[in-house]
Amino acid sequence: MQFSELIDKRRSTRRFTDRKVENDTLRRIMEQALKAPSAKNTRSTRLMAVTDPAKLEAMASMRDMGAAFLPGAAAAIVVMGDPASSPLWQINAAITATMLQLAAVDSDLSSCWVHVGDYHRIGDDPASQRTDDYLKELLPVPPAYGILCVVALGYADYTPKPLPPYEGDERILFA
Ligand SMILES: Cc1cc2nc3c(=O)[nH]c(=O)nc-3n(C[C@H](O)[C@H](O)[C@H](O)COP(=O)(O)O)c2cc1C
């Protein structure tokens, strides 16, 4: 697929068919994403693929907004970082997550980022459990790792509209 086509096809998708995603496909897109650049080549990002329907169901409760569609996904990739490897682990993880979403398109998959970061399970209640702590109870995430986001993916059950053409605004500057 040409890069220009791939970049247009990447849309956040939250509705998927029942078709499973083979582990070989998950491994391939994770390997591709892990070719992302990282600060000082620290390669601090770690990825964990979750395909167990019961776990995907439980992951939907990690936040009261923005995660409810996870049980309909074929897989969720937890994007983590090792803070001991780099103080820029979150930036490294964000680049990897983005490349994962592009790699997914190249394998005919669609995806959506679900944010974790410093969120709490009840968005407007900072006393509620942190989302990363909840995920660490559910999944074998090493306690020292931070979690940036989860990328839900699967085969889309519709064709999302491509992004509108760039119309030119304050986002691109020349000097
Ligand atoms: C940092 C970040 C956090 C996001 N968090 C969520 C989320 O928690 N839940 C969700 O459904 N979508 C989430 N999204 C997806 C955005 O809503 C989506 O990218 C945006 O609406 C633009 O749509 P597009 O990706 O189709 O271009 C997130 C995207 C980014 C980059």
Side-chain angles (χ1 to χ4, degrees), residues 10-12 14 63 65-67 69 112-115 163:
R10 188 223 51 83
R11 296 302 314 270
S12 295
R14 302 173 183 85
R63 284 182 40 209
M65 275 182 61
F69 67 93
C112 187
W113 182 306
V114 183
H115 203 62
L163 285 168

Side-chain angles (χ1 to χ4, degrees), residues 32 36 50 53 68 78 109 115-116 123 129 147 161 173:
Q32 290 171 334
V50 180
V78 185
L109 292 163
H115 203 62
V116 178
Q129 188 181 28
I147 305 176
K161 285 187 187 154
L173 305 173

